[in-house]
Amino acid sequence: MKATEARERQAPLKEKYKSDPQSACVTFSVSGEVVPHELSIRIPTHVGELVSGLHPAAGGDGTEGCSGDMLLESLVGCAGVTFQAVSHAMGIKVRSARITAEGDMDFRGTLGVERETPVGITSIRLGFEIDCDADDEAIAKLLSLTERY
């Protein structure tokens, strides 16, 4: 979708959400089916079925998706679309951009090795590599607005 098309589609939505704030509230819903006798779950998506299982650090063999990776993939997807929308709105011509998400997890918590160790990802970092003509101040504003929205 082009930025101009997005603005055209969003204009009536913005008006509607101003006059009826409750109409802007959406509940996302995803469900999956556990795989009997396996440590995995099948999750239907709009691009096909995804199978999520154990990360190799928790005993998985690496052939199935890991929920931690999926969480970071979703974050990169959200940040990427927002980055594009904001850069278009600011008039910044981006030649290329790469967004990376990293998350730290200590598997001793998940595996119950140490009770005091937190379970799950405890720290997430987003990184941006951007090739554009904008100056440092404009890029800082672009990143700030990407994080905000």
Side-chain angles (χ1 to χ4, degrees), residues 25-77:
C25 299
V26 175
T27 299
F28 291 88
S29 177
V30 175
S31 62
E33 296 286 329
V34 297
V35 180
H37 313 292
E38 298 287 332
L39 295 177
S40 58
I41 185 167
R42 290 188 186 104
I43 306 165
T45 74
H46 69 285
V47 293
E49 183 177 80
L50 178 80
V51 179
S52 179
L54 291 175
H55 186 278
D61 63 11
T63 61
E64 299 170 325
C66 164
S67 57
D69 291 331
M70 293 165 32
L71 174 70
L72 297 179
E73 290 160 355
S74 295
L75 181 58
V76 167

